[in-house]
mmCIF file of all heavy atoms in Angstrom:
data_model
loop_
_atom_site.group_PDB
_atom_site.id
_atom_site.type_symbol
_atom_site.label_atom_id
_atom_site.label_comp_id
_atom_site.label_asym_id
_atom_site.label_seq_id
_atom_site.Cartn_x
_atom_site.Cartn_y
_atom_site.Cartn_z
ATOM 1 N N SER Z 1326 -3.500 5.052 8.305
ATOM 2 C CA SER Z 1326 -4.909 4.936 8.810
ATOM 3 C C SER Z 1326 -5.139 3.449 9.135
ATOM 4 O O SER Z 1326 -4.442 2.629 8.776
ATOM 5 C CB SER Z 1326 -5.884 5.385 7.745
ATOM 6 O OG SER Z 1326 -5.742 4.496 6.637
ATOM 7 N N ALA Z 1327 -6.098 3.273 10.073
ATOM 8 C CA ALA Z 1327 -6.444 1.838 10.418
ATOM 9 C C ALA Z 1327 -7.007 0.962 9.276
ATOM 10 O O ALA Z 1327 -6.614 -0.093 9.163
ATOM 11 C CB ALA Z 1327 -7.514 1.942 11.585
ATOM 12 N N ASP Z 1328 -7.806 1.657 8.404
ATOM 13 C CA ASP Z 1328 -8.371 0.849 7.295
ATOM 14 C C ASP Z 1328 -8.911 1.739 6.132
ATOM 15 O O ASP Z 1328 -10.131 1.585 5.815
ATOM 16 C CB ASP Z 1328 -9.398 -0.094 7.799
ATOM 17 C CG ASP Z 1328 -9.671 -1.144 6.865
ATOM 18 O OD1 ASP Z 1328 -8.854 -1.504 5.960
ATOM 19 O OD2 ASP Z 1328 -10.881 -1.812 6.763
ATOM 20 N N ASN Z 1329 -8.115 2.670 5.660
ATOM 21 C CA ASN Z 1329 -8.528 3.432 4.686
ATOM 22 C C ASN Z 1329 -7.536 3.362 3.459
ATOM 23 O O ASN Z 1329 -6.320 3.671 3.723
ATOM 24 C CB ASN Z 1329 -8.666 4.925 5.044
ATOM 25 C CG ASN Z 1329 -9.348 5.851 4.173
ATOM 26 O OD1 ASN Z 1329 -10.055 5.373 3.219
ATOM 27 N ND2 ASN Z 1329 -9.161 7.170 4.279
ATOM 28 N N TRP Z 1330 -7.891 2.827 2.318
ATOM 29 C CA TRP Z 1330 -6.971 2.451 1.326
ATOM 30 C C TRP Z 1330 -7.470 2.925 -0.009
ATOM 31 O O TRP Z 1330 -8.653 3.127 -0.396
ATOM 32 C CB TRP Z 1330 -6.970 0.906 1.224
ATOM 33 C CG TRP Z 1330 -6.460 0.273 2.419
ATOM 34 C CD1 TRP Z 1330 -6.985 0.105 3.707
ATOM 35 C CD2 TRP Z 1330 -5.062 -0.293 2.594
ATOM 36 N NE1 TRP Z 1330 -6.232 -0.662 4.533
ATOM 37 C CE2 TRP Z 1330 -5.003 -0.853 3.930
ATOM 38 C CE3 TRP Z 1330 -3.899 -0.455 1.796
ATOM 39 C CZ2 TRP Z 1330 -3.845 -1.422 4.412
ATOM 40 C CZ3 TRP Z 1330 -2.818 -1.024 2.175
ATOM 41 C CH2 TRP Z 1330 -2.693 -1.486 3.515
ATOM 42 N N ILE Z 1331 -6.446 3.169 -0.934
ATOM 43 C CA ILE Z 1331 -6.781 3.208 -2.354
ATOM 44 C C ILE Z 1331 -6.979 1.702 -2.765
ATOM 45 O O ILE Z 1331 -6.084 0.857 -2.594
ATOM 46 C CB ILE Z 1331 -5.580 3.812 -3.079
ATOM 47 C CG1 ILE Z 1331 -5.514 5.302 -2.903
ATOM 48 C CG2 ILE Z 1331 -5.718 3.506 -4.722
ATOM 49 C CD1 ILE Z 1331 -4.235 5.950 -3.555
ATOM 50 N N VAL Z 1332 -8.195 1.479 -3.304
ATOM 51 C CA VAL Z 1332 -8.436 0.114 -3.741
ATOM 52 C C VAL Z 1332 -8.442 -0.004 -5.273
ATOM 53 O O VAL Z 1332 -9.212 0.809 -5.947
ATOM 54 C CB VAL Z 1332 -9.754 -0.259 -3.117
ATOM 55 C CG1 VAL Z 1332 -10.251 -1.754 -3.635
ATOM 56 C CG2 VAL Z 1332 -9.801 -0.230 -1.663
ATOM 57 N N LYS Z 1333 -7.776 -0.998 -5.819
ATOM 58 C CA LYS Z 1333 -7.809 -1.292 -7.246
ATOM 59 C C LYS Z 1333 -8.245 -2.691 -7.458
ATOM 60 O O LYS Z 1333 -7.517 -3.617 -6.856
ATOM 61 C CB LYS Z 1333 -6.432 -0.949 -7.835
ATOM 62 C CG LYS Z 1333 -5.990 0.554 -7.773
ATOM 63 C CD LYS Z 1333 -6.788 1.366 -8.833
ATOM 64 C CE LYS Z 1333 -6.307 2.830 -8.657
ATOM 65 N NZ LYS Z 1333 -6.914 3.627 -9.651
ATOM 66 N N ASN Z 1334 -9.190 -2.957 -8.343
ATOM 67 C CA ASN Z 1334 -9.635 -4.316 -8.684
ATOM 68 C C ASN Z 1334 -9.890 -5.127 -7.338
ATOM 69 O O ASN Z 1334 -9.535 -6.207 -7.280
ATOM 70 C CB ASN Z 1334 -8.560 -4.993 -9.424
ATOM 71 C CG ASN Z 1334 -8.332 -4.380 -10.929
ATOM 72 O OD1 ASN Z 1334 -9.286 -3.905 -11.426
ATOM 73 N ND2 ASN Z 1334 -7.046 -4.225 -11.233
ATOM 74 N N ASN Z 1335 -10.633 -4.434 -6.417
ATOM 75 C CA ASN Z 1335 -10.961 -5.065 -5.170
ATOM 76 C C ASN Z 1335 -9.842 -5.456 -4.310
ATOM 77 O O ASN Z 1335 -9.985 -6.266 -3.422
ATOM 78 C CB ASN Z 1335 -12.030 -6.202 -5.346
ATOM 79 C CG ASN Z 1335 -13.136 -5.908 -6.139
ATOM 80 O OD1 ASN Z 1335 -13.881 -4.953 -5.742
ATOM 81 N ND2 ASN Z 1335 -13.622 -6.596 -6.976
ATOM 82 N N VAL Z 1336 -8.591 -4.854 -4.521
ATOM 83 C CA VAL Z 1336 -7.432 -5.176 -3.753
ATOM 84 C C VAL Z 1336 -7.036 -3.775 -2.986
ATOM 85 O O VAL Z 1336 -6.911 -2.789 -3.634
ATOM 86 C CB VAL Z 1336 -6.265 -5.628 -4.592
ATOM 87 C CG1 VAL Z 1336 -4.957 -5.912 -3.786
ATOM 88 C CG2 VAL Z 1336 -6.681 -6.900 -5.231
ATOM 89 N N LYS Z 1337 -6.808 -3.993 -1.690
ATOM 90 C CA LYS Z 1337 -6.317 -2.680 -0.906
ATOM 91 C C LYS Z 1337 -4.778 -2.566 -1.351
ATOM 92 O O LYS Z 1337 -4.066 -3.467 -0.960
ATOM 93 C CB LYS Z 1337 -6.336 -3.055 0.582
ATOM 94 C CG LYS Z 1337 -7.774 -3.155 1.054
ATOM 95 C CD LYS Z 1337 -7.765 -3.414 2.633
ATOM 96 C CE LYS Z 1337 -9.215 -3.517 3.141
ATOM 97 N NZ LYS Z 1337 -9.244 -3.802 4.511
ATOM 98 N N ARG Z 1338 -4.555 -1.496 -2.100
ATOM 99 C CA ARG Z 1338 -3.184 -1.293 -2.623
ATOM 100 C C ARG Z 1338 -2.319 -0.238 -1.861
ATOM 101 O O ARG Z 1338 -1.264 -0.606 -1.509
ATOM 102 C CB ARG Z 1338 -3.401 -0.716 -4.103
ATOM 103 C CG ARG Z 1338 -3.769 -1.866 -5.115
ATOM 104 C CD ARG Z 1338 -2.682 -2.762 -5.171
ATOM 105 N NE ARG Z 1338 -1.406 -2.158 -5.641
ATOM 106 C CZ ARG Z 1338 -0.209 -2.558 -5.409
ATOM 107 N NH1 ARG Z 1338 0.009 -3.683 -4.638
ATOM 108 N NH2 ARG Z 1338 0.945 -2.004 -5.691
ATOM 109 N N VAL Z 1339 -2.905 0.898 -1.502
ATOM 110 C CA VAL Z 1339 -2.067 1.916 -0.882
ATOM 111 C C VAL Z 1339 -2.901 2.537 0.336
ATOM 112 O O VAL Z 1339 -3.888 2.932 0.174
ATOM 113 C CB VAL Z 1339 -1.636 2.922 -1.859
ATOM 114 C CG1 VAL Z 1339 -0.674 3.928 -1.200
ATOM 115 C CG2 VAL Z 1339 -1.056 2.413 -3.101
ATOM 116 N N ASN Z 1340 -2.187 2.396 1.520
ATOM 117 C CA ASN Z 1340 -2.824 3.051 2.563
ATOM 118 C C ASN Z 1340 -3.031 4.597 2.573
ATOM 119 O O ASN Z 1340 -2.118 5.169 2.085
ATOM 120 C CB ASN Z 1340 -2.168 2.631 3.890
ATOM 121 C CG ASN Z 1340 -2.830 3.084 5.245
ATOM 122 O OD1 ASN Z 1340 -2.610 4.231 5.619
ATOM 123 N ND2 ASN Z 1340 -3.719 2.192 5.669
ATOM 124 N N ILE Z 1341 -4.122 5.129 2.915
ATOM 125 C CA ILE Z 1341 -4.401 6.546 2.850
ATOM 126 C C ILE Z 1341 -4.117 7.099 4.328
ATOM 127 O O ILE Z 1341 -4.824 6.824 5.215
ATOM 128 C CB ILE Z 1341 -5.725 6.874 2.390
ATOM 129 C CG1 ILE Z 1341 -5.990 6.391 0.997
ATOM 130 C CG2 ILE Z 1341 -5.903 8.443 2.529
ATOM 131 C CD1 ILE Z 1341 -7.521 6.469 0.669
ATOM 132 N N PRO Z 1342 -2.974 7.641 4.491
ATOM 133 C CA PRO Z 1342 -2.601 8.129 5.899
ATOM 134 C C PRO Z 1342 -3.535 9.140 6.451
ATOM 135 O O PRO Z 1342 -4.210 9.809 5.870
ATOM 136 C CB PRO Z 1342 -1.238 8.732 5.761
ATOM 137 C CG PRO Z 1342 -1.146 9.212 4.244
ATOM 138 C CD PRO Z 1342 -2.032 8.173 3.626
ATOM 139 N N ASP Z 1343 -3.718 8.907 7.839
ATOM 140 C CA ASP Z 1343 -4.558 9.918 8.635
ATOM 141 C C ASP Z 1343 -3.898 11.252 8.786
ATOM 142 O O ASP Z 1343 -4.500 12.325 8.783
ATOM 143 C CB ASP Z 1343 -4.881 9.315 9.944
ATOM 144 C CG ASP Z 1343 -5.965 8.328 9.873
ATOM 145 O OD1 ASP Z 1343 -6.812 8.275 9.004
ATOM 146 O OD2 ASP Z 1343 -6.080 7.394 10.866
ATOM 147 N N TYR Z 1344 -2.518 11.303 8.967
ATOM 148 C CA TYR Z 1344 -1.832 12.452 9.220
ATOM 149 C C TYR Z 1344 -0.486 12.553 8.434
ATOM 150 O O TYR Z 1344 0.124 11.548 8.178
ATOM 151 C CB TYR Z 1344 -1.396 12.616 10.770
ATOM 152 C CG TYR Z 1344 -2.537 12.875 11.703
ATOM 153 C CD1 TYR Z 1344 -3.270 11.794 12.291
ATOM 154 C CD2 TYR Z 1344 -3.018 14.110 12.025
ATOM 155 C CE1 TYR Z 1344 -4.250 11.939 13.146
ATOM 156 C CE2 TYR Z 1344 -4.075 14.364 12.872
ATOM 157 C CZ TYR Z 1344 -4.691 13.334 13.453
ATOM 158 O OH TYR Z 1344 -5.755 13.448 14.331
ATOM 159 N N LEU Z 1345 0.033 13.718 8.181
ATOM 160 C CA LEU Z 1345 1.239 13.942 7.763
ATOM 161 C C LEU Z 1345 2.001 14.798 8.841
ATOM 162 O O LEU Z 1345 1.385 15.508 9.681
ATOM 163 C CB LEU Z 1345 1.402 14.770 6.531
ATOM 164 C CG LEU Z 1345 1.225 14.053 5.140
ATOM 165 C CD1 LEU Z 1345 -0.109 13.376 4.979
ATOM 166 C CD2 LEU Z 1345 1.602 14.874 3.897
ATOM 167 N N TRP Z 1346 3.292 14.621 8.963
ATOM 168 C CA TRP Z 1346 4.119 15.444 10.016
ATOM 169 C C TRP Z 1346 5.450 15.773 9.366
ATOM 170 O O TRP Z 1346 5.918 15.092 8.484
ATOM 171 C CB TRP Z 1346 4.201 14.677 11.344
ATOM 172 C CG TRP Z 1346 4.972 13.309 11.212
ATOM 173 C CD1 TRP Z 1346 4.285 12.126 10.979
ATOM 174 C CD2 TRP Z 1346 6.346 13.079 11.322
ATOM 175 N NE1 TRP Z 1346 5.334 11.035 10.930
ATOM 176 C CE2 TRP Z 1346 6.554 11.651 11.121
ATOM 177 C CE3 TRP Z 1346 7.413 13.867 11.557
ATOM 178 C CZ2 TRP Z 1346 7.794 11.174 11.226
ATOM 179 C CZ3 TRP Z 1346 8.717 13.375 11.599
ATOM 180 C CH2 TRP Z 1346 8.887 12.023 11.343
ATOM 181 N N ASN Z 1347 6.063 16.799 9.881
ATOM 182 C CA ASN Z 1347 7.487 17.059 9.592
ATOM 183 C C ASN Z 1347 8.148 17.685 10.854
ATOM 184 O O ASN Z 1347 7.518 18.004 11.761
ATOM 185 C CB ASN Z 1347 7.709 17.863 8.247
ATOM 186 C CG ASN Z 1347 7.212 19.233 8.405
ATOM 187 O OD1 ASN Z 1347 6.889 19.804 9.511
ATOM 188 N ND2 ASN Z 1347 7.061 19.879 7.201
ATOM 189 N N ALA Z 1348 9.461 17.612 10.755
ATOM 190 C CA ALA Z 1348 10.339 18.020 11.861
ATOM 191 C C ALA Z 1348 11.606 18.474 11.200
ATOM 192 O O ALA Z 1348 12.144 18.023 10.249
ATOM 193 C CB ALA Z 1348 10.586 16.957 12.875
ATOM 194 N N PHE Z 1349 12.233 19.527 11.809
ATOM 195 C CA PHE Z 1349 13.516 19.983 11.276
ATOM 196 C C PHE Z 1349 14.478 20.465 12.454
ATOM 197 O O PHE Z 1349 14.064 20.837 13.529
ATOM 198 C CB PHE Z 1349 13.335 21.195 10.370
ATOM 199 C CG PHE Z 1349 12.954 22.508 11.006
ATOM 200 C CD1 PHE Z 1349 13.724 23.435 11.563
ATOM 201 C CD2 PHE Z 1349 11.500 22.831 11.111
ATOM 202 C CE1 PHE Z 1349 13.381 24.603 12.151
ATOM 203 C CE2 PHE Z 1349 11.059 24.043 11.713
ATOM 204 C CZ PHE Z 1349 12.049 24.973 12.213
ATOM 205 N N CYS Z 1350 15.713 20.403 12.152
ATOM 206 C CA CYS Z 1350 16.898 20.791 12.941
ATOM 207 C C CYS Z 1350 17.714 21.707 12.121
ATOM 208 O O CYS Z 1350 18.507 21.275 11.249
ATOM 209 C CB CYS Z 1350 17.537 19.654 13.553
ATOM 210 S SG CYS Z 1350 18.973 20.051 14.661
ATOM 211 N N CYS Z 1351 17.709 22.966 12.524
ATOM 212 C CA CYS Z 1351 18.581 23.990 11.770
ATOM 213 C C CYS Z 1351 19.846 24.159 12.580
ATOM 214 O O CYS Z 1351 19.858 24.447 13.776
ATOM 215 C CB CYS Z 1351 17.722 25.255 11.717
ATOM 216 S SG CYS Z 1351 18.550 26.677 11.098
ATOM 217 N N VAL Z 1352 21.033 24.035 11.800
ATOM 218 C CA VAL Z 1352 22.373 24.155 12.503
ATOM 219 C C VAL Z 1352 23.180 25.262 11.885
ATOM 220 O O VAL Z 1352 22.970 25.672 10.648
ATOM 221 C CB VAL Z 1352 23.077 22.815 12.525
ATOM 222 C CG1 VAL Z 1352 22.158 21.768 13.200
ATOM 223 C CG2 VAL Z 1352 23.319 22.280 11.118
ATOM 224 N N ASP Z 1353 24.260 25.602 12.478
ATOM 225 C CA ASP Z 1353 25.194 26.591 11.969
ATOM 226 C C ASP Z 1353 26.356 25.778 11.204
ATOM 227 O O ASP Z 1353 26.297 24.522 11.064
ATOM 228 C CB ASP Z 1353 25.754 27.487 13.034
ATOM 229 C CG ASP Z 1353 26.649 26.680 14.070
ATOM 230 O OD1 ASP Z 1353 26.980 25.587 13.815
ATOM 231 O OD2 ASP Z 1353 26.795 27.395 15.066
ATOM 232 N N ASN Z 1354 27.406 26.553 10.803
ATOM 233 C CA ASN Z 1354 28.554 25.940 10.104
ATOM 234 C C ASN Z 1354 29.247 24.800 10.901
ATOM 235 O O ASN Z 1354 29.986 23.962 10.259
ATOM 236 C CB ASN Z 1354 29.551 27.009 9.658
ATOM 237 C CG ASN Z 1354 28.822 27.769 8.496
ATOM 238 O OD1 ASN Z 1354 28.317 27.150 7.545
ATOM 239 N ND2 ASN Z 1354 29.235 29.122 8.374
ATOM 240 N N ASN Z 1355 29.091 24.900 12.084
ATOM 241 C CA ASN Z 1355 29.857 23.987 13.068
ATOM 242 C C ASN Z 1355 28.897 22.907 13.566
ATOM 243 O O ASN Z 1355 29.199 22.188 14.517
ATOM 244 C CB ASN Z 1355 30.503 24.661 14.281
ATOM 245 C CG ASN Z 1355 31.586 25.600 13.837
ATOM 246 O OD1 ASN Z 1355 32.479 25.243 13.019
ATOM 247 N ND2 ASN Z 1355 31.466 26.873 14.340
ATOM 248 N N GLU Z 1356 27.702 22.760 12.766
ATOM 249 C CA GLU Z 1356 26.702 21.733 13.166
ATOM 250 C C GLU Z 1356 26.033 21.974 14.484
ATOM 251 O O GLU Z 1356 25.573 20.950 15.248
ATOM 252 C CB GLU Z 1356 27.389 20.318 13.067
ATOM 253 C CG GLU Z 1356 27.688 19.832 11.573
ATOM 254 C CD GLU Z 1356 26.395 19.350 10.910
ATOM 255 O OE1 GLU Z 1356 25.856 18.363 11.292
ATOM 256 O OE2 GLU Z 1356 26.158 19.914 9.925
ATOM 257 N N ARG Z 1357 26.121 23.156 15.001
ATOM 258 C CA ARG Z 1357 25.487 23.375 16.331
ATOM 259 C C ARG Z 1357 24.079 23.959 16.064
ATOM 260 O O ARG Z 1357 23.771 24.779 15.175
ATOM 261 C CB ARG Z 1357 26.296 24.502 17.089
ATOM 262 C CG ARG Z 1357 27.676 24.104 17.550
ATOM 263 C CD ARG Z 1357 28.384 25.135 18.249
ATOM 264 N NE ARG Z 1357 28.548 26.409 17.287
ATOM 265 C CZ ARG Z 1357 29.634 27.243 17.452
ATOM 266 N NH1 ARG Z 1357 30.456 27.142 18.449
ATOM 267 N NH2 ARG Z 1357 29.723 28.296 16.678
ATOM 268 N N PRO Z 1358 23.027 23.322 16.807
ATOM 269 C CA PRO Z 1358 21.623 23.709 16.740
ATOM 270 C C PRO Z 1358 21.467 25.166 16.766
ATOM 271 O O PRO Z 1358 21.911 25.916 17.771
ATOM 272 C CB PRO Z 1358 20.991 22.877 17.702
ATOM 273 C CG PRO Z 1358 21.911 21.839 18.082
ATOM 274 C CD PRO Z 1358 23.306 22.404 17.971
#
Side-chain angles (χ1 to χ4, degrees):
S1326 61
D1328 196 26
N1329 192 15
W1330 297 76
I1331 291 176
V1332 177
K1333 296 287 183 175
N1334 299 318
N1335 296 316
V1336 176
K1337 294 178 180 179
R1338 283 293 306 153
V1339 187
N1340 186 271
I1341 300 166
D1343 282 339
Y1344 290 92
L1345 275 68
W1346 60 269
N1347 67 15
F1349 70 87
C1350 179
C1351 174
V1352 301
D1353 65 15
N1354 285 324
N1355 295 310
E1356 293 277 301
R1357 291 178 299 207

